Every structure is written in C-alpha cells, then in structure tokens.
Amino acid sequence: MIAVTVIPVLKDNYAYLIRSSDGVTAVVDPGDAGPVIKALEREGLTLDYILNTHHHGDHTAGNKDLKTRYGAIVLAPGAERDRIASSDQGLKDGELFMLGKDEMRCIETPGHTAGALCYYFPESKTLFTGDTLFLMGCGRLFEGTPAQMYDSLSKIAALPDDTLIYCGHEYTLDLLDFCLTVEPDNPKLAERKAHEIKKRKQGEPTVPASLALEKQTNVFLRAKTLEQFTEYRRLMNDF
Ligand code: ZN
Ligand code: FE
C-alpha cells in the first residue's frame, strides 16, 4: 500500500507525495518545488521519482529544481514528453510501472490535453487524475474533443467504486455550485456541499473523495450521453 501526503502548491494546485510500502518516494505534479522540498524535509525523505499527469506548467514547473536537488527521475506522459522540461521517461496507456513494491498503472485520458495520463495504484485503490477528473467536475478541453473527454471519464468510471480520487486542483466548492444548477434536487449534492464547506473552513483539502461519491454527485460523470456531457461542459465554460 502507498501512503499519500497532500501538498498545496501555487494558488489552488495540489501536488502529492507518495511513499511506497518499501520506502520509494514520488511526487505527482510538482507545480512548484518549494512546498515539495518542505514536505520531504518535514518527513526526512528524499525524492526518487516525479510523475507528471500532463504538460501544463502548474503541474511541471517544479520538475527541474527537484531533479537537480534529488536526482529524481521524471516520468511523463509519452505523448507529451517533448513538452515537459527535464522528462526522462515517457509512459503510455496501460503501461505498468513498479514504484518499489507497489504497482502503478497508466491510464491515458485525453481531453484536457492530448496525451494526459492518470496514475492508478490498484492495490491501494488510489487514482491521481490531474486536470482530467476534478472532484465535482472535469478539466477544460484545451486539446481534446468532448468525445475524447467523455471516453476518458468512462475509463475512470469503470474503476472500483471505492477508488480514492486525488485531483490537480482545489476547485470542489465552485464546481459543486455548478453541479447544483444542473441537479438542484439531488439530495446527495446538498449533503456533500455542507460536508465540503466544513472541510474547507477547517483548512482541510477536499481531496480525496471516493469514485462512488463522485458518481452520485459529479454531473460530468452522471451524464448519460455524449450530447448531455457536451452540454454540461459548454454550460460550465460560461458559469
Ligand atoms: Zn492543466
Ligand atoms: Fe492545472
């Protein structure tokens, strides 16, 4: 089993420190090296790997400093490697990677960017989704079509319901308000809103959430057809 530490970076990004059961370390999406270094020092650790979900700067800007400081190996989506500074190795859809004794599976999820990857740890039932699936939402379609994103979200939805979702940004409350405009009578949404507001008031991140809860409340996962999904995505852009 892996252990995950949430590291707030930049304005509303999350990087994640992962420790494998045998002590191998990785950081997901270091948009800034400083807070990651602090988190490592607090726990007395060094860094073995960097995992980028996609090429955007708010997920990769810390690569270079962390690689220089720790000699960490930078793993990036294969299709975006040429756009990710300091990347050492490209990973592709379905590829298995051993983080120490813990198996990680790469799931290609185009839509937000053309080659975005989610990183899945089956035994720990943990998924890092970057800007593909947010709690209560999904990423903007910068490089992909609605059909690609719909397909990508379907791949995520097929994972076990008790999978824990760790996403790239703290957007949950804003996105939740959007979901309420689509499903104002969904009792699970009102319940979740109260719960997430409480967490934020206590200074806690809303991540992680279970895939089951997302399926009950995130309208982008609840869209029954591509047409419905496309309409939600369009409405969200103007929200
Ligand atoms: Zn992004
Ligand atoms: Fe982002």
Side-chain angles (χ1 to χ4, degrees):
M1 296 282 281
I2 57 167
V4 180
T5 305
V6 181
I7 308 171
V9 298
L10 305 174
K11 186 166 152 271
D12 51 30
N13 279 78
Y14 286 130
Y16 298 104
L17 176 60
I18 303 175
R19 214 180 326 180
S20 77
S21 44
D22 50 344
V24 175
T25 55
V27 65
V28 179
D29 284 353
D32 183 11
V36 176
I37 293 168
K38 277 201 193 106
L40 287 164
E41 286 181 347
R42 206 174 334 149
E43 302 195 34
L45 299 170
T46 58
L47 189 63
D48 299 311
Y49 294 100
I50 294 167
L51 290 163
N52 297 131
T53 59
H54 64 293
H55 67 85
H56 288 159
D58 60 316
H59 301 255
T60 59
N63 282 5
K64 190 164 169 277
D65 284 354
L66 292 170
K67 182 173 170 171
T68 305
R69 190 180 182 104
Y70 297 107
I73 295 166
V74 181
L75 307 173
E80 301 186 357
R81 243 202 92 174
D82 53 342
R83 292 196 277 179
I84 296 182
S86 321
S87 72
D88 293 301
Q89 192 179 330
L91 299 171
K92 59 178 195 297
D93 186 39
E95 188 164 343
L96 297 178
F97 185 89
M98 295 306 294
L99 189 73
K101 284 181 177 164
D102 290 283
E103 184 184 281
M104 176 182 95
R105 184 152 67 83
C106 304
I107 305 174
E108 194 169 55
T109 51
H112 180 66
T113 62
L117 285 184
C118 290
Y119 297 110
Y120 178 49
F121 292 83
E123 209 189 321
S124 309
K125 296 189 175 172
T126 297
L127 181 72
F128 298 94
T129 58
D131 291 356
T132 296
L133 177 69
F134 293 129
L135 303 193
M136 302 306 308
C138 75
R140 281 180 188 274
L141 304 178
F142 286 121
E143 297 172 15
T145 62
Q148 281 178 312
M149 183 58 108
Y150 186 67
D151 184 58
S152 294
L153 295 181
S154 307
K155 285 189 194 176
I156 292 173
L159 297 174
D161 267 353
D162 53 353
T163 301
L164 290 176
I165 309 291
Y166 290 87
C167 63
H169 289 265
E170 181 59 66
Y171 290 158
T172 309
L173 289 179
D174 286 344
L175 293 169
L176 204 152
D177 280 338
F178 171 75
C179 289
L180 273 169
T181 66
V182 177
E183 288 191 12
D185 301 324
N186 181 342
K188 291 278 177 196
L189 263 171
E191 199 180 294
R192 184 165 183 186
K193 182 169 178 172
H195 179 66
E196 304 295 9
I197 286 176
K198 196 172 154 205
K199 274 203 239 169
R200 294 303 290 149
K201 276 202 178 135
Q202 291 169 345
E204 288 171 22
T206 57
V207 286
S210 71
L211 182 57
L213 184 59
E214 288 303 312
K215 284 180 175 177
Q216 289 169 342
T217 52
N218 182 337
V219 298
F220 295 96
L221 283 181
R222 293 170 65 72
K224 298 244 174 353
T225 62
L226 170 60
E227 290 65 34
Q228 202 174 31
F229 171 79
T230 306
E231 177 65 2
Y232 293 167
R233 195 46 267 183
R234 190 187 66 75
L235 289 168
M236 180 67 218
N237 286 345
D238 302 328
F239 182 67

